[in-house]
Amino acid sequence: MDGVPRVPEQRGPGESATPRFGVLGPVRAWRGAEPLATGSPQQRALLAALLLREGRTATASELIDALWGEEPPSQALAALRTYASRLRKVLDPGVLASESGGYAIRGLREGALDLTVAQDLAAEADKARAAGDLHHARATLERALALWDGETLAGVPGPYAEAQRARLEEWRLQLLESRLDMDLEQGCHAEAVSELTAVTAAHPLRERLRELLMLALYRSGRQAEALAVYADTRRLLADELGVDPRPELRELQQRILRADPALAEPSAPAPEPAATPVRPAQLPATVSDFTGRASFVVELSEVLASAEGRVMAVSALAGIGGVGKTTLAVHVAHQARSAFPDGQLYVDLQGAGARAAEPETVLGSFLRALGTADSAIPDSLEERAALYRSVLDGRRVLVLLDNARDAAQVRPLLPGTAGCAALITSRIRMVDLAGAHLVDLDVMSPEEALSLFTKIVGEERVASERKAALDVVAACGFLPLAIRIAASRLASRRTWTVSVLAAKLADERRRLDELQAGDLAVKATFELGYGQLEPAQARAFRLLGLADGPDISLAAAAAVLDLPVEETEDLLESLVDTSLLESAAPGRYRYHDLVRLYARACAERDEHPPSERDAAMSRLLDFYLATVAGVYLIERPGDRLVDHLERAEYAGLTFSDRHAAREWLYSEAVSLLACVRQSAQRPGMLRRAVDVLWAAVDLAESGANSKEYEAVAALLQKAAREAGDLRTAGRALTALAFVHHISGSRFDVALQQAEAATESARQAGDPLTACWASNISGVVALYQNRHEEGEDHFTHAIESFRALGDRPGEASALCNLSRIHLATGRTESAVSLARKGAAMYDAMGHALKGANGRYALGLALTQSGRHAEATECLYQALQVFRDSRQRLWEGMTLFRLAELDLAAGRPAQAAANADTALTLLRGIGGDWRRGNVLTVLGRALQGIGQTDRAQVCWTEALEIFASLDAPEADEVARLLQPTAAA
């Protein structure tokens, strides 16, 4: 920002402010925060020439050449002295010194010139990168680049300034390339695409930037675009310079064409090796009676042995719990120890539990095991992962990651360096783990199962009862864990025969009871702990186990127990002390899965009267209904929806601001939706359940919870239909229609549901549901280009909302009607309608919905050619959507900004915004929206000369629209015609 110093003032006590200078932009000077007058362009040119000599003396003739070149004015020396005299009056005494007929800048304190600060930061970044600390290196380079404030030496005349301007701009681009390179090394490929698209547009002949863009696109799964960048570059270089791309660019193209695995994952630079490397040996003990799995042992051992000379060998063992994944992995890891002389790391990632291990926590323990001091372990996940890979570089270490939740949990923990390997166990098949060697572990074969049973029980006891032994392992489902438990029970009971055990397991109602033993938290262990509880503790233990969510908050638990929060906390903490409950986080509690089953069995057996179970769940539902209604209202003051909800008998939480309310909604989303799902099956709770869902509508738009929201809405709609409850069915259908139209690919389904909701609401006398269903029908008609129908729906919705006194609903329908007017060429009325809707939102203090209003207004202003106003509206909306975690609308607003940039003649900025929108909308919004973004991205890329990449985008968009039978396919096909002809 002009006039604001970019290098912070650093003064000791009593030290006066000395001048500071900037050359990385306009030539400027400050004393403290006060800007100093640097005079005419020639006077600034003199100051710049002296500053860039960094304290060295420049003769008068050198300075004249710097300012005027080969044709100085006749009075050049006198003019030079005048400029120096004027500068000396502005600057502190002694700063501008006269020496040997020349001049020099003297006595500047450290950090007084932005260029020297940038140089120091660049040197610091180089050291950090060499040490393997990519995060610090990148952040330091970012600080250096932030010192530039526009064009270097902007407006300064003279040949010297021109030469320095080119030199410093080249240096800035080198720093930028280095920082972008580190972005890719740290795995931020998708995020880098947008910036690289813009910067390659600004510097089209810079091949290193094109190379980074190709790599970022490839790692983001956009291989065709990456290859198109090469084609664009080759054509541009041939046209502009008559040369071919440099060898590095050609080699990258070939590696992309052959899908070189080494391109898929970034690698970090190696640090200096530790003086005394630590050799961890963390593998658990292998079982002495390991049986079977011979083919898997051979296969996995071969994969691990192939790690030498490769970036990584990953074996992901998938299978149900108890299938023996850990046993096999530990056995194979022990056999492979000799191939990994620098050590073995092990962690149980607890992926099957309610709270899986956090990667940053695991990395901390790994780094300590590898000899890293606590003081050297950084805080963030990214920094720890980079340091972990750096520490492993040059070592041969095996990492056993047991019980992983998913690929996202595993990726930061992979070594990524030659000679190291990772062995992973998980209940899911990690098809999205790049380069993984996948192994699906099934139950044992009957022969293997019988062999394991015989090893534990003894050959003598089994030989005489082979058929009964086969019955036992069959009853265990050939699951290794169940077989081991059953065999261990038999081995410890010498008076039992195999037939006795087989008879016990034949009773399916008691089979699981019989298959509990040892450290698997058996029922007897639970019973012992439960029997020692005080009555209040036992009641809390039983009732809290009824809730389905992964964990439960203290406030929600208080509702279940119908107790004050303080008393509830005391009870829950006492249960934590007995190990019957776990403290998931401050104020949150969870059960182990088996303990929860036991708690529910106790509730069925011991809770009197039995109706208290339903009462407890009813209070929990009331708590969520009351709280989510408050959250809805704080986000939408004056909205009438809350007046149409069922009454909650139990109070909920209250919030002082929308940020706290929104944080609660998203942090509680999984447990809230689990409660709604449970309530659908309980008599008397159906109406409140659908109202919780209706008031939590923001979860449907966020992207993170959309699928579960849809599933719960479908369950409620089915339950309502079976119960003959038209009001609930209408509201559930409205929720479903909303989710489906937001998805961007199920418009026909959304329309059917909205029409069915309207009819159900009409019959049930539920006018607000009918209003919202009409509004959704109008939106679907808009998207399907049925503009006359859409206008009818919106007009009806506006009248109905007005009749109910629902001004927020009226504002929504007005903004939507604006879109219809825009699509049918009535631009001015579209602006008027959107402005009216946005003003209504503002008058009521609606932040989030006000952003939707500004979004609609921004579209109308864009089409009317008022680009500055449109930009302001859309950026205001963008900030609110980001703040509100509305990833769908954040992405769509960036898409609209890209359209606006195109209309305003800013194709490079349009490409950057469209690229970011594409990243944000990954996995949400549906194919139709993705197709629209790709279309605009293609236009923007064509505008910056990247026509081959534009064609790739349009080709993908055409495939999407054709598969949806969408009318946009014709427009995209027309766009492809001139490109194809060229």
Side-chain angles (χ1 to χ4, degrees):
M1 187 181 299
D2 288 348
V4 178
R6 288 158 291 148
V7 182
E9 180 102 21
Q10 297 176 358
R11 285 183 285 164
E15 182 184 349
S16 62
T18 56
R20 292 170 301 106
F21 301 93
V23 294
L24 301 179
V27 176
R28 289 175 288 184
W30 301 271
R31 184 179 290 105
E34 178 186 358
L36 303 177
T38 52
S40 66
Q42 285 80 10
Q43 190 169 306
R44 293 198 300 274
L46 171 61
L47 178 60
L50 294 173
L51 288 169
L52 290 172
R53 278 170 169 76
E54 299 181 23
R56 300 187 305 276
T57 301
T59 66
S61 61
E62 288 174 334
L63 291 171
I64 289 172
D65 285 343
L67 269 63
W68 291 288
E70 296 180 356
E71 298 182 359
S74 57
Q75 300 298 316
L77 182 58
L80 182 66
R81 289 171 178 164
T82 299
Y83 299 151
S85 175
R86 290 173 180 169
L87 284 173
R88 191 175 285 114
K89 291 176 182 178
V90 173
L91 306 177
D92 287 358
V95 172
L96 180 55
S98 299
E99 295 181 356
S100 305
Y103 299 94
I105 296 290
R106 301 287 192 208
L108 295 186
R109 60 183 175 80
E110 184 178 353
L113 178 63
D114 57 1
L115 175 58
T116 59
V117 174
Q119 290 168 339
D120 291 343
L121 289 170
E124 181 184 343
D126 286 342
K127 290 180 182 178
R129 190 172 188 180
D133 191 349
L134 283 181
H135 184 81
H136 179 66
R138 186 207 175 281
T140 305
L141 270 190
E142 189 68 25
R143 288 168 57 200
L145 288 165
L147 293 172
W148 266 267
D149 189 15
E151 183 185 35
T152 304
L153 303 175
V156 176
Y160 179 79
E162 186 62 36
Q164 293 299 311
R165 189 178 295 116
R167 176 181 72 85
L168 292 173
E169 174 61 12
E170 172 63 24
W171 184 53
R172 185 188 72 83
L173 288 172
Q174 289 172 0
L175 296 181
L176 180 60
E177 287 171 352
S178 181
R179 198 264 292 158
L180 287 164
D181 190 29
M182 283 187 279
D183 284 351
L184 300 191
E185 285 192 61
Q186 294 179 90
C188 303
H189 2 282
E191 297 82 352
V193 168
S194 174
E195 184 176 3
L196 280 164
T197 298
V199 78
T200 52
H203 304 279
L205 298 177
R206 202 163 185 93
E207 292 181 71
R208 176 56 179 157
L209 290 173
R210 297 276 185 144
E211 186 180 340
L212 291 172
L213 176 57
M214 288 174 65
L215 186 57
L217 285 166
Y218 179 74
R219 287 182 178 169
S220 300
R222 298 158 71 176
Q223 179 181 357
E225 283 187 67
L227 293 169
V229 170
Y230 178 81
D232 286 328
T233 306
R234 183 177 60 181
R235 186 184 63 255
L236 178 68
L237 291 173
D239 292 345
E240 296 290 330
L241 305 177
V243 298
D244 291 328
R246 64 180 189 164
E248 293 86 351
L249 207 59
R250 294 199 299 272
E251 180 186 357
L252 178 58
Q253 183 222 20
Q254 291 302 311
R255 293 176 70 189
I256 290 174
L257 284 170
R258 63 175 183 265
D260 185 347
L263 289 179
E265 294 293 339
S267 60
E272 293 295 323
T276 55
V278 177
R279 182 181 177 276
Q282 298 183 341
L283 293 178
T286 188
V287 294
S288 59
D289 52 17
F290 182 84
T291 302
R293 310 297 199 189
S295 61
F296 288 113
V297 172
V298 172
E299 177 184 357
L300 291 169
S301 297
E302 289 177 351
V303 172
L304 291 178
S306 71
E308 186 172 1
R310 293 175 53 187
V311 173
M312 187 191 310
V314 177
S315 301
L317 281 68
I320 62 173
V323 79
K325 301 182 295 295
T326 299
T327 302
L328 173 61
V330 170
H331 181 78
V332 170
H334 274 282
Q335 288 203 336
R337 285 183 64 176
S338 60
F340 300 96
D342 295 317
Q344 305 86 40
L345 296 168
Y346 171 83
V347 65
D348 180 358
L349 293 173
Q350 303 174 45
R355 187 72 64 176
E358 295 294 341
E360 53 262 53
T361 303
V362 175
L363 285 170
S365 65
F366 278 0
L367 287 168
R368 292 184 191 95
L370 291 165
T372 306
D374 280 347
S375 59
I377 297 176
D379 292 332
S380 72
L381 172 62
E382 294 77 10
E383 290 176 302
R384 289 187 176 190
L387 180 58
Y388 168 65
R389 294 190 297 269
S390 300
V391 169
L392 286 179
D393 189 47
R395 301 190 193 185
R396 295 169 63 186
V397 174
L398 174 63
V399 183
L400 177 48
L401 305 172
D402 193 17
N403 196 17
R405 178 187 58 205
D406 53 26
Q409 185 190 27
V410 162
R411 287 191 187 98
L413 308 177
L414 298 179
T417 54
C420 291
L423 189 60
I424 305 162
T425 73
S426 176
R427 292 191 180 192
I428 68 169
R429 195 169 191 268
M430 296 192 180
V431 293
D432 54 341
L433 189 61
H437 177 83
L438 301 178
V439 176
D440 292 321
L441 198 61
D442 204 346
V443 296
M444 286 182 151
S445 67
E447 294 77 15
E448 288 177 328
L450 184 60
S451 176
L452 174 60
F453 183 78
T454 302
K455 275 192 175 183
I456 299 172
V457 173
E459 179 70 35
E460 183 179 347
R461 297 178 73 182
V462 174
S464 61
E465 296 186 275
R466 182 177 175 83
K467 183 179 183 306
L470 287 172
D471 289 341
V472 168
V473 295
C476 292
F478 307 110
L479 195 66
L481 178 61
I483 295 165
R484 186 173 295 278
I485 292 171
S488 297
R489 293 187 66 202
L490 182 60
S492 65
R493 292 165 173 80
R494 304 304 301 176
T495 59
W496 282 16
T497 63
V498 180
S499 298
V500 168
L501 177 61
K504 288 180 176 292
L505 295 177
D507 184 353
E508 292 184 354
R509 293 171 299 176
R510 293 193 49 80
R511 185 176 295 169
L512 288 177
D513 291 336
E514 297 293 344
L515 292 174
Q516 295 186 43
D519 59 358
L520 297 179
V522 295
K523 181 182 288 189
T525 303
F526 298 156
E527 199 73 65
L528 180 63
Y530 177 66
Q532 296 174 346
L533 297 179
E534 297 291 334
Q537 291 177 311
R539 173 179 179 269
F541 175 74
R542 294 191 300 266
L543 293 182
L544 291 177
L546 296 172
D548 268 353
D551 58 12
I552 190 167
S553 68
L554 179 58
V560 171
L561 302 179
D562 195 18
L563 293 172
V565 170
E566 295 79 7
E567 187 176 344
T568 301
E569 184 172 23
D570 290 342
L571 280 172
L572 268 55
E573 289 296 328
S574 70
L575 290 173
V576 171
D577 292 338
T578 66
S579 299
L580 289 174
L581 191 66
E582 299 175 19
S583 180
R588 299 199 76 85
Y589 300 88
R590 67 174 179 228
Y591 285 98
H592 183 280
D593 289 345
L594 292 175
V595 178
R596 186 197 299 274
L597 292 176
Y598 175 71
R600 290 182 175 179
C602 290
E604 292 288 333
R605 181 189 67 193
D606 300 338
E607 197 60 46
H608 300 292
S611 59
E612 176 57 14
R613 297 195 297 270
D614 285 338
M617 292 306 297
S618 181
R619 288 192 297 270
L620 179 61
L621 183 63
D622 272 351
F623 166 78
Y624 281 129
L625 176 56
T627 306
V628 80
V631 171
Y632 186 93
L633 195 55
I634 202 172
E635 192 74 78
R636 302 166 175 82
D639 197 304
R640 294 295 307 281
L641 179 139
V642 294
D643 299 333
H644 292 257
L645 301 178
E646 288 288 297
R647 181 182 174 187
E649 299 295 333
Y650 193 91
L653 297 174
T654 57
F655 302 97
S656 57
D657 64 86
R658 59 184 293 265
H659 298 285
R662 186 174 60 251
E663 184 63 32
W664 177 89
L665 179 63
Y666 287 106
S667 64
E668 201 71 22
V670 177
S671 296
L672 180 150
L673 291 172
C675 178
V676 173
R677 177 186 286 275
Q678 249 183 312
S679 302
Q681 311 302 324
R682 293 179 178 266
M685 298 188 194
L686 193 56
R687 288 197 165 196
R688 282 176 290 155
V690 80
D691 283 356
V692 171
L693 196 69
W694 217 20
V697 66
D698 287 344
L699 296 178
E701 290 187 87
S702 69
N705 307 103
S706 304
K707 289 184 178 179
E708 179 61 14
Y709 187 98
E710 176 188 346
V712 173
L715 181 65
L716 287 170
Q717 191 268 333
K718 180 175 182 290
R721 186 179 68 244
E722 291 173 352
D725 187 339
L726 289 173
R727 172 198 174 279
T728 302
R731 295 190 175 193
L733 282 164
T734 303
L736 279 171
F738 183 80
V739 174
H740 287 151
H741 99 267
I742 284 291
S743 74
S745 58
R746 288 171 285 183
F747 294 141
D748 290 338
V749 174
L751 181 61
Q752 293 171 7
Q753 290 165 338
E755 290 175 346
T758 302
E759 179 59 24
S760 293
R762 185 189 64 78
Q763 294 184 40
D766 189 8
L768 187 60
T769 299
C771 291
W772 283 112
S774 293
N775 207 20
I776 294 170
S777 296
V779 172
V780 174
L782 167 67
Y783 289 161
Q784 294 183 324
N785 296 318
R786 294 181 288 103
H787 299 135
E788 186 175 347
E789 291 179 45
E791 186 159 358
D792 289 342
H793 285 303
F794 290 139
T795 301
H796 176 71
I798 291 168
E799 293 171 353
S800 301
F801 279 126
R802 281 177 183 163
L804 290 174
D806 190 324
R807 289 179 59 76
E810 180 185 348
S812 173
L814 283 168
C815 291
N816 290 333
L817 182 59
S818 163
R819 301 279 302 277
I820 292 285
H821 281 227
L822 200 61
T824 52
R826 293 170 284 174
T827 308
E828 288 307 311
S829 62
V831 172
S832 177
L833 286 166
R835 202 182 295 278
K836 183 177 180 181
M840 290 174 68
Y841 281 135
D842 290 345
M844 292 178 285
H846 282 226
L848 178 56
K849 299 308 293 181
N852 289 119
R854 281 172 177 74
Y855 176 89
L857 180 56
L859 301 191
L861 290 169
T862 298
Q863 194 157 318
S864 67
R866 298 177 227 179
H867 296 158
E869 288 182 74
T871 300
E872 182 179 1
C873 278
L874 290 175
Y875 270 112
Q876 288 174 352
L878 180 64
Q879 185 57 49
V880 175
F881 290 140
R882 281 177 177 162
D883 188 50
S884 302
R885 302 187 186 181
Q886 292 293 318
R887 190 158 60 96
L888 170 65
W889 288 111
E890 181 185 351
M892 288 303 297
T893 306
L894 283 165
F895 161 61
R896 298 304 185 182
L897 281 166
E899 289 185 318
L900 174 56
D901 290 327
L902 278 179
R906 299 187 294 265
Q909 184 60 44
N913 280 330
D915 250 322
T916 306
L918 211 57
T919 299
L920 283 166
L921 294 174
R922 184 175 297 158
I924 61 172
D927 288 341
W928 179 74
R929 289 186 175 90
R930 178 177 175 82
N932 283 315
V933 178
L934 284 166
T935 303
V936 169
L937 176 57
R939 290 180 182 275
L941 292 170
Q942 185 186 48
I944 59 177
Q946 296 186 18
T947 53
D948 285 273
R949 190 178 160 200
Q951 187 176 28
V952 169
C953 292
W954 288 335
T955 300
E956 184 180 349
L958 182 60
E959 291 172 355
I960 289 172
F961 291 139
S963 69
L964 298 174
D965 197 23
E968 290 85 354
D970 294 336
E971 176 197 354
V972 180
R974 286 193 296 271
L975 288 171
L976 280 166
Q977 287 174 358
T979 307

